[in-house]
């Protein structure tokens, strides 16, 4: 599974303005996107839920669920890196 940012960069030239706005929101607010069901995210961004799913597919995911899994995975990696750096600082 590729990273969300990598998927965004690769798909950027294929995204419509609305899809780019959706992707930008997800990248800028990953915790919020992770917590929101597709209907709530669509309401927040004032788009149809199908646009969220279409954007996720253009980013290379099978749908919104897989996109959320990618967000969760990346957030988990960030947390693990932060924990590791804190542990290294403690050792020094």
């Amino acid at each position: 599974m590729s990273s969300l940012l990598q998927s965004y960069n690769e798909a950027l030239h294929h995204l419509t303005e609305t899809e780019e706005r959706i992707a930008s929101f997800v990248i800028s607010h990953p915790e919020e996107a992770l917590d929101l069901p597709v209907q709530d995210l669509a309401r927040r961004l004032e788009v149809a839920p199908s646009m969220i799913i279409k954007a996720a597919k253009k980013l290379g995911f099978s749908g919104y669920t897989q996109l959320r899994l990618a967000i969760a995975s990346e957030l988990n990696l960030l947390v693990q890196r932060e924990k590791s750096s804190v542990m290294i600082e403690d050792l020094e």
Side-chain angles (χ1 to χ4, degrees), residues 4-33:
L4 181 55
L5 190 56
Q6 179 184 357
S7 296
Y8 174 74
N9 287 332
E10 290 172 359
L12 186 58
H13 60 281
H14 295 295
L15 299 176
T16 66
E17 186 177 315
T18 301
E19 293 163 346
E20 186 175 344
R21 188 165 53 92
I22 293 165
S24 293
F25 178 85
V26 169
I27 290 168
S28 300
H29 305 89
E31 295 92 352
E32 191 172 347

Side-chain angles (χ1 to χ4, degrees), residues 3 6 11 17 20 31 33 40 48 52-54 57 63 73 81 88:
S3 78
Q6 179 184 357
E17 186 177 315
E20 186 175 344
E31 295 92 352
D40 293 347
I52 305 287
I53 296 164
K54 185 178 176 187
K57 288 183 177 183
S73 176
R81 286 182 188 152
I88 290 170

Side-chain angles (χ1 to χ4, degrees), residues 28-48:
S28 300
H29 305 89
E31 295 92 352
E32 191 172 347
L34 182 61
D35 290 338
L36 291 173
V38 69
Q39 295 85 359
D40 293 347
L41 179 59
R43 201 170 310 125
R44 170 129 162 86
L45 296 176
E46 299 178 348
V47 298

